[in-house]
Amino acid sequence: MNHPRRPLLFLAAVALALLLAASHATAQVNWPAFLAREDLVWTKIPRTWEESAFIGNGNLGATIFAQSGALAWEINRADVYHDGSRYPMGRLALRAAGTVTGGDMRLDLWNAEARGTLHTDRGEIRWRSFTATTPSAIVIELDGADGEKDVDVTWIPALARPPRTVYRRQEFAPDELHPPAEVHATAGGLTSVQRFLGGGAFTVVVKHAAPADGKKLIYVSVGRGDTADAALADAQAAADQAAALGLEKVTEAHRAWWHAYYPASFLSIPDARLEAFYWIQIYKLGSAMRPDGPILDLMGPWFRATPWPRIWWNLNAQLTYSPLFTANRLPLAESLFDALDRHRQQLIDNVPPPLRAEAAAIGRTSDQSLVSPVDLAEAKGDSGREMGNLPWVMFLYWEYYRCQMNDAILRDRVLPLLSRTVGNYLAYVEKGSDGRYHLPPTFSPELATVADCNYDLALLRWGLQTLIASCEHLHLDDPHLPRWREVLANLTPFPTDASGLMVGRDRPLRESHRHYSHLLAIYPLHLLTPDQPDDLKLIGTSLHNWDSRPEKFRGFSYTGAASMYAMLGDGDTALDRLHLLLDRVIKPNTLYTEAGPVIETPLSAATSLQEMLLQSWGGKLRVFPAIPAAWRDVSFATLRGEGAFLVSAVRHDGQTAWVRIESLAGEPCRVVVRDWKNAVIRAASPDAKTAGSATGGNGEFDVTLPRNAWIVLAPSADVPLPGLEPVATPAAAQNPYPMHYK
């Protein structure tokens, strides 16, 4: 007997199940099991910073590896600067009775906890460690067996010398010869007080808590202050609070934060190494940022000898924060944007006094105070002519707004500073005999000082367009509008030649150049797009000219190239560039150095991967825009796009199976799914059923949704829809981290 209703009932059940799952897009993921496959696993004790386990809470942290024959926690706090520089603090070394003969370690991403076993010729030591957020303390639990029951730790303070001077092996100035740290034993542990010449101090407190079950429990905190007493009080308060709460409550609060953090978004790809790399970067962001924490500089909580002990603003800060938006982890970005708001007057003071009524800027480097003057008229070197740093940061601030569509952020925070940022350019533009506005010589980062520098022209053009569009959106009659419109209408075109975008006027790109500063109009600003035939040709020519000269490329060169190929829809080449990055320059534990730590490169690789799965520039949500041919199955959930959309999608057997769009702001939405001719609504929230729609064809669809409504689209009405879950990887393909581990 035929049962014609059974297929319909089955499809209805599938649609209902998908609808319920889509309402909680990452709820189907077994997070502990999924992240366990991304953990870093060591079969022997790491011996270098590049191999270490790393833990942190957005400010305080440690790298864990063997030093001088003992497992050690290298301790640092990211907001401790002196005279504009980070400083080493010291290490807490495990004091074993016997000689170490081996061991293993694991970095448990789900619980943000490192743990391991250390074997000695006298016994065994089991340990675990994490960095709690509240209170801000590193927790170390030790459990010794046999002849190691009395295992303990010892504090070894670092010599306080400026890292840049140390790296360059220069002679120390008298004011750089800070006194040694003063270490004092206490009833419950020890204190280590480091005073700086000229004022300021930091203090490390190591506190032993009451043992439980024969285990030793240690809390480590770091305080800072204008005086040693203030620094000690800061550190002591955190350690005392941790001890008062007890391990169970501290652990519970720590895990609650992380277990809420991860499900903000999800992605899974059939490349075990790259998938693990991505999730380690998400862990790294959560370990190195907090909304109320310091700006993430080049090393965050994980100090290492370095010539780069500050914040760099000509690419590093921008790439560091770039993965947060699509990853739907916007609160962490407040560590940057809140700092811009709090230090707005300093950004104004960074320009010459005659310009301070209308302008703001930041130079190449700064500490957390953002003091970094820019004076084009008095510049004595290339760094003094770097005009584009704050404008590029403002592009991120604009993205932060666009991913939320909260007009208060635009009106009260972004626009006032963006107006001043563009105002710094307008103080220098000059109208030439051709009737066009031109820029005087400015510095294209890491290459050349040149007039009509494409780096700055792109940022000026983007800034003017954004200011005008924002005023129109907010219905503001800003007195600067006539000037903005006039300059934009008459701004000189980007200098080009037969090889594409030039560095600037009369200056072609004729050498290997690791920075893609001259290509900013392509990426990330999207002023030139592949949607326009003329732009597409120029993009291709420019990208080939740059990418075909890789001799001086560094890690971020590969991530920039990957993102630009993803923009062109070339997933295979984008993937190749990411594999080159992992093969050639990423350290075994996914950290990265160029002489010293530069954290932005692996984080920007996470951005490049996101852009292979979802792009949202130009008013369109592009779903699976650059998937490599070998990736037959891909899934992601609640990635965030411009216009305040949360997007989830599944690609199965080489085809896009379904796409879920949730509108947080009720903005217009155009969805691009290139392998679809048509789209039908398979499930929707109640308000979307009455007020939502999807129209169009040939891969582009206009979706109308009220605020907080969602809709699930598929290419047909009768094909069963696969669930959202981690994709399978071949049994032989396993997470290799830490890579190249010896």
Side-chain angles (χ1 to χ4, degrees):
M1 179 181 294
N2 293 328
H3 295 281
R5 294 185 62 198
R6 284 186 177 176
L8 296 177
L9 290 172
F10 172 76
L11 290 174
V14 170
L16 178 60
L18 180 63
L19 184 153
L20 294 173
S23 299
H24 303 87
T26 65
Q28 292 186 96
V29 178
N30 182 333
W31 282 99
F34 173 67
L35 286 178
R37 81 185 199 185
E38 324 295 3
D39 287 350
L40 292 96
V41 179
W42 292 258
T43 56
K44 58 181 68 175
I45 302 301
R47 294 172 294 179
T48 66
W49 180 92
E50 291 86 352
E51 299 169 344
S52 66
F54 48 94
I55 55 175
N57 67 4
N59 194 13
L60 177 66
T63 48
I64 307 171
F65 60 103
Q67 299 185 59
S68 302
L71 187 67
W73 282 250
E74 189 79 27
I75 307 294
N76 212 264
R77 178 170 155 169
D79 64 353
V80 176
Y81 278 71
H82 176 72
D83 198 21
S85 174
R86 294 282 296 279
Y87 271 76
M89 293 183 175
R91 69 183 189 269
L92 201 67
L94 207 62
R95 194 168 66 221
T99 301
V100 175
T101 60
D104 56 64
M105 289 172 47
R106 187 180 193 100
L107 185 55
D108 175 349
L109 300 186
W110 175 240
N111 291 314
E113 173 183 297
R115 60 179 179 268
T117 303
L118 201 66
H119 304 292
T120 79
D121 58 5
R122 299 283 300 276
E124 182 179 272
I125 303 164
R126 295 186 180 276
W127 62 270
R128 72 180 184 109
S129 185
F130 61 89
T131 309
T133 298
T134 305
S136 183
I138 295 170
V139 179
I140 302 173
E141 187 180 50
L142 304 175
D143 185 9
D146 300 325
E148 295 294 354
K149 291 185 181 297
D150 293 329
V151 62
D152 207 340
V153 294
T154 185
W155 171 249
I156 305 169
L159 188 62
R161 296 291 181 266
R164 203 169 177 90
T165 307
V166 172
Y167 181 82
R168 293 174 172 177
R169 299 186 178 182
Q170 297 171 332
E171 186 175 349
F172 296 112
D175 62 355
E176 294 177 336
L177 297 172
H178 305 291
E182 302 168 10
V183 181
H184 301 284
T186 66
L190 63 85
T191 63
S192 178
V193 179
Q194 177 63 61
R195 291 178 170 86
F196 290 112
L197 297 175
F202 70 81
T203 297
V204 177
V205 168
V206 179
K207 186 179 183 68
H208 287 73
D213 301 326
K215 299 177 183 178
K216 291 191 175 178
L217 181 59
I218 302 162
Y219 297 111
V220 186
S221 59
V222 178
R224 65 173 183 135
D226 293 333
T227 67
D229 287 345
L232 179 58
D234 184 24
Q236 195 70 60
D240 289 347
Q241 185 184 358
L245 286 171
L247 179 60
E248 183 177 351
K249 289 184 178 179
V250 171
T251 301
E252 181 181 347
H254 169 76
R255 292 183 177 179
W257 190 94
W258 282 94
H259 296 173
Y261 167 75
Y262 282 116
S265 65
F266 166 80
L267 68 78
S268 181
I269 57 176
D271 183 324
R273 178 173 67 156
L274 190 56
E275 181 184 88
F277 175 86
Y278 178 83
W279 283 103
I280 295 167
Q281 305 323 299
I282 297 300
Y283 165 79
K284 193 181 296 178
L285 288 166
S287 300
M289 290 183 185
R290 286 295 185 275
D292 58 352
I295 297 170
L296 178 52
D297 58 17
L298 271 65
M299 67 182 92
W302 308 302
F303 187 89
R304 179 185 184 272
T306 180
W308 325 117
R310 290 161 63 82
I311 304 167
W312 256 254
W313 295 100
N314 57 359
L315 170 140
N316 308 75
Q318 292 87 339
L319 297 194
T320 294
Y321 281 81
S322 64
L324 295 174
F325 308 105
T326 302
N328 193 28
R329 300 172 201 279
L330 299 182
L332 297 184
E334 276 292 335
S335 58
L336 173 61
F337 302 132
D338 179 64
L340 296 181
D341 296 344
R342 286 185 287 107
H343 296 292
R344 186 183 297 178
Q345 186 58 52
Q346 181 55 58
L347 297 171
I348 295 169
D349 292 343
N350 283 340
V351 303
L355 306 186
R356 290 176 184 169
E358 300 282 345
I362 196 163
R364 180 176 297 177
T365 75
S366 80
D367 61 13
Q368 299 288 335
S369 71
L370 308 193
V371 176
S372 188
V374 179
D375 186 346
L376 193 60
E378 299 295 327
K380 296 179 181 179
D382 289 335
S383 64
R385 296 183 178 276
E386 230 166 57
M387 296 279 284
N389 300 331
L390 185 57
W392 192 354
V393 174
M394 291 308 300
F395 172 73
L396 294 186
Y397 211 164
W398 164 254
E399 281 195 315
Y400 181 68
Y401 155 70
R402 283 284 297 159
C403 285
Q404 299 175 81
M405 298 306 297
N406 180 340
D407 285 350
I409 294 174
L410 177 62
R411 180 182 58 251
D412 302 332
R413 302 177 65 185
V414 177
L415 268 183
L417 187 53
L418 180 58
S419 176
R420 285 184 168 277
T421 304
V422 170
N424 195 43
Y425 278 130
L426 297 185
Y428 296 102
V429 294
E430 300 173 346
K431 183 172 280 191
S433 58
D434 59 356
R436 296 283 193 174
Y437 282 102
H438 296 268
L439 283 171
T442 59
F443 188 57
S444 187
E446 304 199 351
L447 189 59
T449 295
V450 60
D452 286 337
C453 166
N454 262 328
Y455 173 72
D456 288 301
L457 281 176
L459 288 162
L460 173 55
R461 186 176 296 277
W462 171 83
L464 290 166
Q465 290 177 352
T466 302
L467 285 169
I468 294 167
S470 298
C471 286
E472 292 173 351
H473 174 74
L474 296 173
H475 306 291
L476 296 178
D477 187 19
D478 192 287
H480 298 92
L481 272 169
R483 171 72 166 159
W484 295 338
R485 288 176 172 141
E486 197 262 337
V487 173
L488 179 61
N490 297 286
L491 189 61
T492 191
F494 300 126
T496 62
D497 65 2
S499 63
L501 288 168
M502 303 168 71
V503 180
R505 190 197 318 161
D506 303 323
R507 176 60 163 89
L509 179 70
R510 52 181 178 241
E511 64 270 277
S512 182
H513 175 31
R514 69 179 191 169
H515 199 305
Y516 49 90
S517 50
H518 68 299
L519 301 180
L520 238 62
I522 300 171
Y523 179 84
L525 300 181
H526 298 111
L527 298 174
L528 302 172
T529 77
D531 291 349
Q532 302 299 321
D534 290 345
D535 288 358
L536 177 60
K537 182 178 179 181
L538 179 58
I539 292 169
T541 303
S542 304
L543 180 54
H544 173 75
N545 183 45
W546 173 67
D547 189 44
S548 64
R549 308 171 189 264
E551 297 80 16
K552 294 185 178 180
F553 274 17
R554 295 294 183 267
F556 61 80
S557 313
Y558 296 114
T559 70
S563 289
M564 283 182 256
Y565 283 114
M567 177 183 171
L568 292 172
D570 186 351
D572 287 324
T573 306
L575 180 62
D576 175 74
R577 296 304 182 268
L578 291 180
H579 281 169
L580 288 175
L581 171 80
L582 300 185
D583 291 340
R584 295 180 177 180
V585 298
I586 291 296
K587 302 305 178 184
N589 58 3
T590 82
L591 294 173
Y592 175 75
T593 64
E594 290 176 21
V598 272
I599 203 170
E600 83 293 322
T601 288
L603 296 178
S604 68
T607 303
S608 301
L609 175 58
Q610 291 167 352
E611 290 165 343
M612 296 167 69
L613 275 57
L614 178 69
Q615 297 173 26
S616 62
W617 48 270
K620 298 179 180 180
L621 292 172
R622 297 165 174 82
V623 181
F624 297 130
I627 299 300
W631 289 7
R632 304 291 290 172
D633 298 310
V634 183
S635 61
F636 68 82
T638 55
L639 296 184
R640 186 179 283 253
E642 291 185 17
F645 296 101
L646 296 180
V647 186
S648 305
V650 168
R651 187 172 176 86
H652 179 64
D653 198 20
Q655 298 292 320
T656 303
W658 56 267
V659 177
R660 179 184 185 272
I661 312 290
E662 180 177 357
S663 175
L664 304 181
E667 289 289 306
C669 177
R670 189 166 183 82
V671 181
V672 179
V673 188
R674 287 302 177 195
D675 60 343
W676 287 0
K677 290 185 178 180
N678 301 294
V680 298
I681 299 174
R682 294 292 296 269
S685 59
D687 44 1
K689 287 181 179 179
T690 57
S693 65
T695 59
N698 295 319
E700 297 202 11
F701 311 94
D702 290 310
V703 175
T704 301
L705 288 172
R707 183 187 299 268
N708 296 324
W710 58 265
I711 196 170
V712 175
L713 303 177
S716 68
D718 55 1
V719 175
L721 305 182
L724 191 151
E725 59 187 6
V727 302
T729 55
Q734 297 180 356
N735 167 14
Y737 291 101
M739 291 194 308
H740 317 308
Y741 179 52
K742 298 179 181 179

